[in-house]
Amino acid sequence: MDHPDALVNAIGMLYGAILIFATFIRSRFTEAMRIDALFMKECTERTRPMNLLAGLLIAGYAIYSLFFR
């Protein structure tokens, strides 16, 4: 990781993975990182799949930026 952008992309991949885990795993750490809990007033179990979508998008873009740019 000799380039600073590589570190940012690695952090993006890690956060995307955390969001994907937050869809399925309930712990204090994953609950604090949930996208739906950060931006919505009423986050419930029905809004939890938003984390999966956001995690896939964030991790996918980070992987694309790291390896294909």
Side-chain angles (χ1 to χ4, degrees), residues 32-69:
M33 296 293 174
R34 285 175 51 186
I35 290 284
D36 58 333
L38 291 173
F39 295 113
M40 298 177 76
K41 277 187 183 181
E42 300 293 327
C43 60
T44 63
E45 292 299 314
R46 293 186 67 193
T47 61
R48 189 176 285 273
M50 287 179 53
N51 296 304
L52 179 63
L53 178 63
L56 289 173
L57 289 173
I58 292 170
Y61 183 72
I63 291 169
Y64 170 76
S65 295
L66 185 64
F67 293 116
F68 299 112
R69 281 191 157 196

Side-chain angles (χ1 to χ4, degrees), residues 13-23 29-30 33-34 51 55:
M13 287 187 295
L14 179 66
Y15 184 60
I18 289 170
L19 286 177
I20 293 169
F21 289 138
T23 304
F29 181 69
T30 58
M33 296 293 174
R34 285 175 51 186
N51 296 304

